[in-house]
Coordinates of all heavy atoms in Angstrom, one line a residue:
M1 N 38.1 21.4 -7.5 CA 38.0 22.9 -7.4 C 36.8 23.4 -8.1 O 36.4 22.9 -9.2 CB 39.2 23.6 -8.1 CG 40.5 23.4 -7.3 SD 40.5 24.2 -5.7 CE 41.8 25.4 -5.9
L2 N 36.1 24.4 -7.5 CA 35.1 25.1 -8.2 C 35.7 26.3 -8.9 O 36.5 27.0 -8.4 CB 34.0 25.7 -7.2 CG 33.4 24.6 -6.3 CD1 32.4 25.4 -5.4 CD2 32.6 23.6 -7.1
R3 N 35.4 26.4 -10.2 CA 36.0 27.4 -11.0 C 35.0 28.5 -11.4 O 33.9 28.1 -11.9 CB 36.6 26.8 -12.3 CG 37.9 26.1 -12.0 CD 38.6 25.6 -13.3 NE 39.9 25.0 -13.0 CZ 40.1 23.8 -12.6 NH1 39.0 23.0 -12.4 NH2 41.3 23.3 -12.3
F4 N 35.4 29.7 -11.3 CA 34.5 30.8 -11.7 C 35.4 31.7 -12.6 O 36.6 31.7 -12.5 CB 34.1 31.7 -10.5 CG 33.4 31.0 -9.4 CD1 34.1 30.2 -8.5 CD2 32.1 31.1 -9.2 CE1 33.5 29.5 -7.5 CE2 31.4 30.4 -8.2 CZ 32.1 29.6 -7.4
R5 N 34.7 32.4 -13.6 CA 35.4 33.4 -14.3 C 34.7 34.7 -14.0 O 33.5 34.9 -14.2 CB 35.3 33.1 -15.8 CG 36.4 33.9 -16.6 CD 36.6 33.4 -18.0 NE 35.3 33.5 -18.7 CZ 34.8 34.6 -19.2 NH1 35.5 35.8 -19.0 NH2 33.7 34.6 -19.9
V6 N 35.6 35.7 -13.6 CA 35.1 36.9 -13.1 C 35.6 38.1 -14.0 O 36.8 38.1 -14.3 CB 35.6 37.2 -11.6 CG1 35.2 38.5 -11.1 CG2 35.0 36.1 -10.7
E7 N 34.7 38.9 -14.4 CA 35.1 40.1 -15.2 C 35.1 41.3 -14.3 O 34.3 41.5 -13.4 CB 34.1 40.3 -16.3 CG 34.1 39.1 -17.3 CD 33.0 39.2 -18.4 OE1 32.1 40.1 -18.3 OE2 33.1 38.4 -19.4
G8 N 36.0 42.2 -14.7 CA 36.0 43.5 -14.0 C 37.2 43.7 -13.0 O 37.4 44.8 -12.5
M9 N 38.0 42.6 -12.9 CA 39.2 42.8 -12.0 C 40.3 43.4 -12.8 O 40.7 42.9 -13.9 CB 39.7 41.5 -11.5 CG 38.7 40.8 -10.5 SD 39.4 39.4 -9.7 CE 39.6 38.2 -11.1
T10 N 40.8 44.6 -12.3 CA 41.9 45.3 -13.0 C 43.2 45.5 -12.3 O 44.2 45.9 -12.9 CB 41.4 46.7 -13.5 OG1 40.9 47.4 -12.3 CG2 40.2 46.6 -14.4
C11 N 43.2 45.2 -11.0 CA 44.4 45.4 -10.2 C 44.4 44.5 -9.0 O 43.4 43.8 -8.7 CB 44.5 46.9 -9.8 SG 43.3 47.3 -8.6
Q12 N 45.5 44.6 -8.2 CA 45.6 43.8 -7.1 C 44.5 44.1 -6.0 O 44.1 43.2 -5.3 CB 47.0 43.9 -6.5 CG 47.4 42.8 -5.5 CD 47.3 41.4 -6.1 OE1 47.8 41.2 -7.2 NE2 46.9 40.5 -5.3
G13 N 44.1 45.4 -6.0 CA 43.0 45.7 -5.1 C 41.7 45.0 -5.4 O 41.0 44.5 -4.5
C14 N 41.4 44.8 -6.7 CA 40.3 44.0 -7.1 C 40.4 42.5 -6.7 O 39.5 41.9 -6.2 CB 40.1 44.1 -8.6 SG 39.8 45.7 -9.3
V15 N 41.6 42.0 -6.8 CA 41.9 40.6 -6.5 C 41.6 40.5 -5.0 O 41.0 39.5 -4.5 CB 43.4 40.3 -6.8 CG1 43.7 38.9 -6.2 CG2 43.6 40.2 -8.3
N16 N 42.1 41.4 -4.2 CA 41.9 41.4 -2.7 C 40.4 41.4 -2.4 O 39.9 40.8 -1.5 CB 42.7 42.4 -2.0 CG 44.2 42.2 -2.1 OD1 44.6 41.1 -2.3 ND2 45.0 43.3 -1.9
A17 N 39.7 42.3 -3.1 CA 38.3 42.5 -2.9 C 37.5 41.1 -3.1 O 36.6 40.7 -2.4 CB 37.7 43.6 -3.7
V18 N 37.9 40.5 -4.2 CA 37.3 39.2 -4.6 C 37.6 38.2 -3.5 O 36.7 37.4 -3.1 CB 37.7 38.8 -6.0 CG1 37.3 37.3 -6.3 CG2 37.1 39.7 -7.0
R19 N 38.9 38.1 -3.1 CA 39.3 37.2 -2.1 C 38.5 37.4 -0.8 O 38.0 36.4 -0.2 CB 40.8 37.3 -1.8 CG 41.7 36.9 -3.0 CD 43.1 37.1 -2.6 NE 43.5 36.1 -1.6 CZ 44.0 34.8 -2.0 NH1 44.1 34.5 -3.2 NH2 44.3 34.0 -1.1
Q20 N 38.3 38.6 -0.4 CA 37.5 38.9 0.8 C 36.1 38.5 0.6 O 35.5 38.0 1.6 CB 37.6 40.4 1.1 CG 38.9 40.7 1.9 CD 38.8 42.2 2.5 OE1 38.0 43.0 2.0 NE2 39.6 42.4 3.5
A21 N 35.5 38.8 -0.5 CA 34.1 38.4 -0.8 C 33.9 36.9 -0.6 O 33.0 36.5 0.0 CB 33.7 38.9 -2.2
V22 N 34.9 36.2 -1.2 CA 34.8 34.7 -1.1 C 34.9 34.2 0.3 O 34.2 33.4 0.8 CB 35.8 34.0 -2.1 CG1 35.8 32.5 -1.9 CG2 35.5 34.4 -3.5
A23 N 35.9 34.8 1.0 CA 36.2 34.5 2.4 C 35.0 34.7 3.3 O 34.7 34.0 4.2 CB 37.4 35.2 2.9
G24 N 34.1 35.7 2.9 CA 33.0 36.0 3.7 C 31.9 34.9 3.7 O 31.2 34.7 4.6
V25 N 31.9 34.1 2.6 CA 30.9 33.0 2.5 C 31.5 31.7 2.5 O 30.8 30.7 2.6 CB 30.0 33.2 1.2 CG1 29.1 34.4 1.3 CG2 30.9 33.3 0.0
A26 N 32.8 31.6 2.4 CA 33.5 30.3 2.5 C 34.8 30.5 3.4 O 35.9 30.4 3.0 CB 33.9 29.8 1.1
P27 N 34.5 30.8 4.7 CA 35.6 31.2 5.6 C 36.7 30.0 5.7 O 36.3 28.9 5.8 CB 35.0 31.4 7.0 CG 33.5 31.4 6.7 CD 33.3 30.8 5.4
G28 N 37.9 30.4 5.6 CA 39.0 29.5 5.8 C 39.3 28.5 4.6 O 40.2 27.7 4.7
R29 N 38.5 28.7 3.5 CA 38.7 27.8 2.4 C 39.7 28.4 1.5 O 39.7 29.6 1.2 CB 37.4 27.5 1.6 CG 36.3 27.0 2.5 CD 36.6 25.8 3.3 NE 37.1 24.7 2.6 CZ 36.3 23.7 2.2 NH1 35.0 23.7 2.5 NH2 36.8 22.7 1.5
P30 N 40.6 27.5 0.9 CA 41.6 28.0 0.0 C 41.0 28.7 -1.3 O 40.0 28.1 -1.9 CB 42.4 26.8 -0.5 CG 42.1 25.8 0.6 CD 40.7 26.1 1.1
V31 N 41.5 29.8 -1.7 CA 41.0 30.6 -2.8 C 42.2 31.0 -3.7 O 43.2 31.5 -3.2 CB 40.2 31.9 -2.4 CG1 39.7 32.6 -3.6 CG2 39.1 31.6 -1.4
T32 N 42.1 30.7 -5.0 CA 43.1 31.2 -5.9 C 42.5 32.2 -6.9 O 41.5 31.8 -7.5 CB 43.7 30.0 -6.7 OG1 44.2 29.1 -5.8 CG2 44.8 30.5 -7.6
V33 N 43.0 33.4 -7.0 CA 42.5 34.4 -7.9 C 43.6 34.7 -8.9 O 44.7 35.1 -8.5 CB 42.0 35.7 -7.2 CG1 41.5 36.7 -8.2 CG2 41.0 35.3 -6.1
T34 N 43.3 34.6 -10.2 CA 44.3 34.9 -11.2 C 43.8 36.2 -11.9 O 42.9 36.1 -12.7 CB 44.5 33.7 -12.2 OG1 44.8 32.6 -11.4 CG2 45.6 34.0 -13.1
L35 N 44.5 37.3 -11.7 CA 44.1 38.5 -12.3 C 44.1 38.5 -13.8 O 43.1 39.0 -14.4 CB 45.1 39.6 -11.8 CG 44.8 41.1 -12.3 CD1 43.4 41.5 -11.9 CD2 45.8 42.0 -11.7
A36 N 45.1 37.9 -14.4 CA 45.3 38.0 -15.9 C 44.1 37.3 -16.6 O 43.7 37.8 -17.7 CB 46.6 37.3 -16.3
T37 N 43.6 36.2 -16.0 CA 42.5 35.5 -16.7 C 41.2 35.7 -16.1 O 40.2 35.3 -16.7 CB 42.8 34.0 -16.6 OG1 43.0 33.6 -15.2 CG2 44.2 33.6 -17.3
G38 N 41.1 36.3 -14.9 CA 39.8 36.5 -14.2 C 39.4 35.2 -13.6 O 38.2 35.1 -13.2
E39 N 40.2 34.2 -13.5 CA 39.8 32.9 -13.0 C 39.9 32.9 -11.4 O 40.9 33.3 -10.9 CB 40.7 31.8 -13.5 CG 40.2 30.4 -13.3 CD 41.0 29.3 -14.0 OE1 42.1 29.1 -13.6 OE2 40.5 28.8 -15.0
V40 N 38.8 32.4 -10.8 CA 38.8 32.3 -9.4 C 38.5 30.8 -9.1 O 37.5 30.2 -9.6 CB 37.7 33.2 -8.8 CG1 37.5 33.0 -7.3 CG2 37.9 34.6 -9.1
E41 N 39.3 30.2 -8.3 CA 39.1 28.8 -7.9 C 39.0 28.7 -6.4 O 39.7 29.3 -5.6 CB 40.4 28.0 -8.3 CG 40.5 27.9 -9.8 CD 41.6 26.9 -10.2 OE1 42.7 26.9 -9.5 OE2 41.4 26.2 -11.2
V42 N 38.0 28.0 -6.0 CA 37.7 27.8 -4.6 C 37.5 26.3 -4.3 O 37.1 25.5 -5.2 CB 36.4 28.5 -4.2 CG1 36.2 28.4 -2.6 CG2 36.4 29.9 -4.6
A43 N 37.9 25.8 -3.1 CA 37.9 24.4 -2.8 C 36.5 23.9 -2.9 O 35.5 24.6 -2.7 CB 38.3 24.2 -1.4
E44 N 36.4 22.6 -3.3 CA 35.1 21.9 -3.3 C 34.4 21.9 -1.9 O 35.1 22.1 -0.9 CB 35.3 20.4 -3.7 CG 35.9 20.2 -5.1 CD 34.9 20.3 -6.2 OE1 33.7 20.4 -5.9 OE2 35.3 20.3 -7.3
G45 N 33.1 21.7 -1.9 CA 32.5 21.7 -0.6 C 32.0 23.1 -0.2 O 31.5 23.2 0.9
T46 N 32.1 24.0 -1.1 CA 31.6 25.4 -0.8 C 30.4 25.6 -1.7 O 30.2 24.9 -2.7 CB 32.7 26.4 -1.1 OG1 33.3 26.2 -2.4 CG2 33.8 26.3 -0.1
N47 N 29.7 26.6 -1.4 CA 28.4 26.9 -2.1 C 28.7 27.9 -3.3 O 28.9 29.0 -3.1 CB 27.4 27.5 -1.1 CG 26.1 27.8 -1.7 OD1 25.9 28.1 -2.9 ND2 25.0 27.7 -0.9
A48 N 28.6 27.3 -4.5 CA 29.0 28.1 -5.7 C 28.1 29.3 -5.9 O 28.6 30.4 -6.2 CB 28.9 27.2 -6.9
A49 N 26.8 29.1 -5.6 CA 25.8 30.2 -5.8 C 26.1 31.3 -4.8 O 26.1 32.5 -5.2 CB 24.4 29.7 -5.7
A50 N 26.4 31.0 -3.6 CA 26.7 32.0 -2.6 C 28.0 32.7 -2.9 O 28.1 33.9 -2.7 CB 26.8 31.3 -1.2
I51 N 29.0 32.0 -3.4 CA 30.2 32.6 -3.8 C 30.0 33.6 -4.9 O 30.5 34.7 -4.9 CB 31.3 31.5 -4.1 CG1 31.7 30.8 -2.9 CG2 32.5 32.2 -4.8 CD1 32.5 29.5 -3.1
A52 N 29.3 33.1 -5.9 CA 29.1 34.0 -7.1 C 28.3 35.3 -6.6 O 28.6 36.4 -7.1 CB 28.3 33.3 -8.2
G53 N 27.3 35.1 -5.8 CA 26.6 36.2 -5.3 C 27.4 37.2 -4.5 O 27.3 38.4 -4.7
A54 N 28.3 36.7 -3.7 CA 29.2 37.6 -2.9 C 30.2 38.4 -3.8 O 30.5 39.5 -3.6 CB 30.0 36.7 -1.9
I55 N 30.6 37.7 -4.9 CA 31.6 38.3 -5.8 C 30.8 39.5 -6.6 O 31.3 40.6 -6.7 CB 32.2 37.3 -6.8 CG1 33.1 36.4 -6.1 CG2 32.9 38.0 -8.0 CD1 33.6 35.2 -6.9
E56 N 29.6 39.2 -7.0 CA 28.8 40.2 -7.7 C 28.4 41.4 -6.7 O 28.5 42.5 -7.1 CB 27.6 39.6 -8.3 CG 28.0 38.6 -9.4 CD 27.0 38.5 -10.5 OE1 25.8 38.4 -10.3 OE2 27.5 38.4 -11.7
Q57 N 28.2 41.0 -5.5 CA 27.9 42.0 -4.5 C 29.0 43.0 -4.3 O 28.9 44.2 -4.0 CB 27.6 41.3 -3.1 CG 26.9 42.2 -2.1 CD 25.4 42.3 -2.4 OE1 24.8 41.4 -3.0 NE2 24.8 43.3 -2.0
A58 N 30.3 42.5 -4.5 CA 31.5 43.3 -4.4 C 31.7 44.1 -5.6 O 32.7 44.9 -5.7 CB 32.7 42.4 -4.1
G59 N 30.9 44.0 -6.6 CA 30.9 44.9 -7.8 C 31.5 44.3 -9.0 O 31.9 45.0 -10.0
F60 N 31.7 42.9 -9.1 CA 32.2 42.3 -10.3 C 31.2 41.5 -11.0 O 30.1 41.2 -10.4 CB 33.4 41.4 -9.8 CG 34.5 42.2 -9.1 CD1 34.5 42.3 -7.7 CD2 35.4 42.9 -9.8 CE1 35.4 43.1 -7.1 CE2 36.4 43.7 -9.2 CZ 36.4 43.8 -7.8
V61 N 31.5 41.0 -12.2 CA 30.6 40.2 -13.0 C 31.1 38.8 -13.0 O 32.2 38.6 -13.4 CB 30.4 40.8 -14.4 CG1 29.5 39.9 -15.2 CG2 29.8 42.2 -14.3
V62 N 30.2 37.9 -12.6 CA 30.6 36.5 -12.7 C 30.1 35.9 -14.1 O 28.9 35.8 -14.3 CB 30.0 35.6 -11.6 CG1 30.4 34.2 -11.7 CG2 30.5 36.2 -10.2
A63 N 31.0 35.7 -15.0 CA 30.7 35.3 -16.3 C 30.5 33.8 -16.4 O 29.7 33.4 -17.3 CB 31.8 35.8 -17.3
E64 N 31.2 33.1 -15.6 CA 31.0 31.6 -15.6 C 31.1 31.1 -14.2 O 31.9 31.6 -13.4 CB 32.1 30.9 -16.4 CG 32.0 31.2 -17.9 CD 33.3 30.6 -18.6 OE1 33.9 29.7 -18.1 OE2 33.6 31.1 -19.7
Q65 N 30.2 30.2 -13.8 CA 30.3 29.6 -12.5 C 29.8 28.1 -12.6 O 29.1 27.8 -13.5 CB 29.4 30.4 -11.5 CG 27.9 30.2 -11.7 CD 27.1 31.0 -10.8 OE1 27.0 32.2 -11.0 NE2 26.5 30.4 -9.8
P66 N 30.2 27.3 -11.7 CA 29.9 25.9 -11.7 C 28.3 25.8 -11.6 O 27.7 26.5 -10.9 CB 30.5 25.3 -10.4 CG 31.6 26.3 -10.1 CD 31.1 27.6 -10.5
G67 N 27.8 24.8 -12.4 CA 26.4 24.5 -12.3 C 25.5 25.5 -13.0 O 24.3 25.5 -12.8
R68 N 26.1 26.2 -13.9 CA 25.3 27.2 -14.7 C 25.7 27.3 -16.1 O 26.9 27.1 -16.4 CB 25.3 28.6 -14.0 CG 24.2 29.4 -14.4 CD 24.3 30.8 -13.9 NE 23.6 31.0 -12.6 CZ 23.4 32.1 -12.0 NH1 24.1 33.2 -12.5 NH2 22.7 32.2 -10.9
Ligands
CU1 CU1 41.3 47.0 -8.9

């Protein structure tokens, strides 16, 4: 799994927004978003930089991401 830590998610609407952002750059890949911890997990084989960019584009802060 690729693990990201995302800041700024406060409700289920934010979780859905992050899920949609990830789906936009990793269509059909399993995504797990944990609101309490800000943890976002995406299947291996996806582009971590593109995912982080999409999440930030959606208005959140990626505090930790793979390869950085
Ligand atoms: Cu929200």
Side-chain angles (χ1 to χ4, degrees):
M1 288 297 241
L2 301 181
R3 287 188 173 79
F4 303 78
R5 198 167 58 75
V6 175
E7 294 175 350
M9 293 190 293
T10 56
C11 71
Q12 196 58 41
C14 296
V15 170
N16 292 339
V18 168
R19 295 181 69 88
Q20 274 192 339
V22 174
V25 290
R29 306 309 300 266
V31 183
T32 304
V33 180
T34 307
L35 179 58
T37 58
E39 194 173 72
V40 176
E41 292 185 322
V42 188
E44 296 283 351
T46 51
N47 184 327
I51 291 169
I55 292 171
E56 297 212 315
Q57 199 76 26
F60 302 94
V61 175
V62 178
E64 290 173 25
Q65 72 183 76
R68 199 184 266 183

